[in-house]
Amino acid sequence: MQIKTKTNVLLTAILLSGISSIAVAQTMEEDARFKNEVSVQTNLGHQKHRNIDYGDTSYGLGVKDTLKYGRHGAFVGIQGQRTASDKSTFSNSVREKEYDVKAGYQYEYPMAYGVTVTPRAGLGYKNQILKDREFGDKEEFRRGYAEIGVDGRYMLKDGWAVGAGATYQRDLNNKVKVNDVYDKDPSRGYYAEVTTGVYKDIGQYGKLGVEPYYGQYRNKDADKMRVTDTGVRVKYDF
């Protein structure tokens, strides 16, 4: 009887171990599948060029595509932004346009208590054009940069989540072009940004998020260039 009992316990343990192994294998297989996530965002804010006393409402649109394999992800994104004309110290019809393209790698690291941390790194290229439509003057600032950043999410109930993020960009190469003539190369500037956010999982329809942000770019040689961006982004992931 004692031998039979030990045998039953052993068989039960083997069975449970097998079931557990199958469940883990299935989970790993699901996590290792390729997934594609597209994020569309729009922003409304205020941009301020402190070195030339120019600032106005800014608005933009961006798209980011992320190919995920398990916790790993490769992303590429493009974003455009512009300001409305506004009065500055030297003109009444200045308008700023910018285009930003970037690509990189990210890794989702789940932690305890519903927290997920996602560090990321990549390379990008940004083109800013400041044009005076009244006098025809145009200044173009082109910069290639390396970027590192981290995003954090904390899951709440009923599909809600809160989060925060930080981004740092360092120029690798930049050029200043004034009225189709290249100026001397400025020093390598940097850009830093912080965000907070509230997010909602809406099931089969994707995820919706609202992110207040504050960012600042500085370059001491490009006319002591200092540009600040503040506003709110609305994001939709599907």
Side-chain angles (χ1 to χ4, degrees), residues 100-134:
D100 195 349
V101 180
K102 68 177 69 176
Y105 167 81
Q106 67 181 38
Y107 182 81
E108 295 182 1
Y109 185 74
M111 303 177 69
Y113 306 107
V115 176
T116 301
V117 176
T118 306
R120 50 187 163 76
L123 298 173
Y125 174 81
K126 189 170 188 176
N127 187 11
Q128 292 176 283
I129 302 172
L130 194 64
K131 187 174 182 180
D132 185 336
R133 296 185 299 165
E134 182 178 350

Side-chain angles (χ1 to χ4, degrees), residues 71-143:
R71 298 176 184 175
H72 303 271
F75 63 85
V76 60
I78 182 170
Q79 182 177 356
Q81 179 173 284
R82 69 183 301 175
T83 63
S85 298
D86 195 9
K87 184 177 180 180
S88 71
T89 56
F90 59 91
S91 177
N92 295 329
S93 57
V94 177
R95 174 167 288 172
E96 193 265 359
K97 298 179 181 179
E98 62 182 58
Y99 310 93
D100 195 349
V101 180
K102 68 177 69 176
Y105 167 81
Q106 67 181 38
Y107 182 81
E108 295 182 1
Y109 185 74
M111 303 177 69
Y113 306 107
V115 176
T116 301
V117 176
T118 306
R120 50 187 163 76
L123 298 173
Y125 174 81
K126 189 170 188 176
N127 187 11
Q128 292 176 283
I129 302 172
L130 194 64
K131 187 174 182 180
D132 185 336
R133 296 185 299 165
E134 182 178 350
F135 296 100
D137 294 329
K138 183 173 73 171
E139 183 175 6
E140 187 172 359
F141 189 70
R142 304 174 180 178
R143 51 183 291 259

